[in-house]
Amino acid sequence: MKNLYEKYFTKQKMMRTVLIPLIIISLFSIYNFGWRVLALLLLNLFVAMVIEYLCEVKLYKRKKISEAVIITSILYTMTLPVSLPFWISAVGIAFGIFFGKMVFGGFGKNIFNPALVGRVFIYINFPNPLTIAWNEAAKGLPGGFGAFTLPHIDALSTATPMLAFRNEGVLTNISDLLIGNVSGAIGETSKVLIILAAIYLIYKKVASWQIMAGSVLGFSVLSGILNLMGVETIPNPIYGMLLGGFLLGTVFMATDPISAAKTVPGKWIYGLIIGIVTVIIRGFALFSGGMMFAILMGNTFAPIIDYVVRQRKANKKSKEAVV
């Protein structure tokens, strides 16, 4: 089995490090929503590997596919509601891998985060399953470990903490938000696990703390100002960061080393853009979330930001040399 794996996959230490906290979050997600989480994950992983194999090995004539495809598949699954039809999920990951990664030349050459490219594609084309089909979260044991999926939620306006605040002004208990016993996308609910994952990834030096800090700073400052100004659609910064997929996106997707900014000043600017844009979309757009759009917007500007930072540095050196 090991030889078979090594035959098709390129070893990537960084990806294996990221995989550890994602497995823990996935296990909690199964407890929270049922074994359908695992079924979606395995389907997405299979489709993603097939698409990448056909492109990397057959089209680009490379020997193996990247272990990054495993991370992409898990992250994509973590952004979905557990009740999403399997065929829509498969279409999304196929689109994300091909148009978000392979059309740019494969691993290491993509401009956008492929998991979010797939998620945005199905969000735009199949909005109802992505926005109105939510399931209850587990309470007690065995939780989701004893069911394929938990019951649907009928009260749409308060189905998730984000919708409850946006539609009714209802503030979910912070302890529930931290632990994760709330409805929402599969992997976004347990904020404690995501925060622990951030600490672990920073300690292992596989995720940029500057990007995370920039994102949190941009989000906190703008949401704090707007909240003090009395904008009803903007909660206080701490509560706002615990809603929806902000922390999941900040820790795992904004820090994607391929699509994020590379220079140190660029990482701060990139993170600030993501945090600020998330607040603007949440508070003033039709979308209840906004993190996925904010990260893709950050991906768009990341190469430009790095270019400007490097040019300024080069110009500074030229002036110093002349003097």
Side-chain angles (χ1 to χ4, degrees):
M1 188 71 178
K2 181 180 179 181
N3 292 336
L4 183 64
Y5 180 85
E6 292 178 350
K7 179 181 178 181
Y8 290 102
F9 287 90
T10 300
K11 289 184 178 180
Q12 296 171 301
K13 185 178 180 180
M14 178 182 291
M15 297 304 166
R16 295 186 177 190
T17 303
V18 177
L19 184 61
I20 294 172
L22 283 179
I23 289 175
I24 296 172
I25 292 173
S26 297
L27 288 173
F28 177 82
S29 300
I30 294 172
Y31 160 78
N32 216 27
F33 297 114
W35 289 102
R36 199 175 195 276
V37 170
L38 182 61
L40 277 170
L41 197 156
L42 292 176
L43 171 66
N44 294 331
L45 181 58
F46 174 76
V47 173
M49 288 192 298
V50 169
I51 298 296
E52 181 147 335
Y53 177 80
L54 291 175
C55 293
E56 290 280 10
V57 179
K58 298 300 182 181
L59 179 61
Y60 296 134
K61 305 301 180 183
R62 293 165 186 154
K63 293 182 179 180
K64 301 178 181 180
I65 64 177
S66 67
E67 287 184 331
V69 73
I70 300 174
I71 303 301
T72 298
S73 302
I74 297 175
L75 287 175
Y76 168 78
T77 305
M78 294 297 101
T79 68
L80 307 175
V82 69
S83 59
L84 185 72
F86 287 109
W87 72 271
I88 294 180
S89 182
V91 167
I93 191 64
F95 185 92
I97 294 295
F98 185 77
F99 288 101
K101 184 176 181 180
M102 292 304 144
V103 296
F104 294 101
F107 174 73
K109 299 181 180 180
N110 50 290
I111 299 173
F112 301 102
N113 184 295
L116 291 179
V117 171
R119 214 282 186 172
V120 168
F121 177 75
I122 60 174
Y123 184 89
I124 293 172
N125 288 279
F126 311 103
N128 284 354
L130 269 295
T131 58
I132 66 173
W134 302 102
N135 291 65
E136 294 179 6
K139 303 292 184 183
L141 293 174
F145 291 126
F148 184 66
T149 187
L150 297 178
H152 284 277
I153 295 175
D154 295 326
L156 177 61
S157 63
T158 56
T160 69
M162 178 73 76
L163 291 173
F165 173 77
R166 188 177 177 90
N167 297 327
E168 305 288 341
V170 176
L171 299 177
T172 304
N173 189 287
I174 286 185
S175 62
D176 289 335
L177 292 174
L178 287 170
I179 295 170
N181 294 127
V182 293
S183 182
I186 289 171
E188 73 179 19
T189 60
S190 180
K191 303 307 186 291
V192 168
L193 291 181
I194 296 172
I195 292 170
L196 290 175
I199 296 171
Y200 173 77
L201 294 177
I202 292 171
Y203 172 74
K204 287 292 186 177
K205 299 181 180 180
V206 299
S208 169
W209 68 267
Q210 294 97 336
I211 292 175
M212 295 186 200
S215 181
V216 169
L217 180 62
F219 185 96
S220 300
V221 171
L222 183 57
S223 60
I225 292 172
L226 294 175
N227 181 256
L228 289 174
M229 291 173 61
V231 179
E232 295 182 355
T233 55
I234 306 293
N236 70 72
I238 294 177
Y239 190 84
M241 284 188 284
L242 296 178
L243 291 177
F246 176 77
L247 289 181
L248 180 70
T250 294
V251 174
F252 289 104
M253 298 179 190
T255 56
D256 172 21
I258 305 301
S259 56
K262 309 295 188 296
T263 61
V264 173
K267 290 177 180 179
W268 280 100
I269 298 169
Y270 170 79
L272 285 168
I273 289 173
I274 291 173
I276 290 169
V277 171
T278 301
V279 174
I280 293 172
I281 293 176
R282 283 186 176 186
F284 305 104
L286 294 175
F287 310 110
S288 59
M291 189 61 179
M292 62 179 176
F293 292 109
I295 294 174
L296 290 174
M297 187 173 293
N299 293 163
T300 303
F301 286 101
I304 302 172
I305 295 169
D306 282 339
Y307 174 79
V308 172
V309 169
R310 289 176 180 135
Q311 282 297 112
R312 287 177 62 87
K313 187 176 181 180
N315 292 338
K316 185 178 180 180
K317 286 185 177 179
S318 297
K319 290 180 180 179
E320 290 174 352
V322 171
V323 175

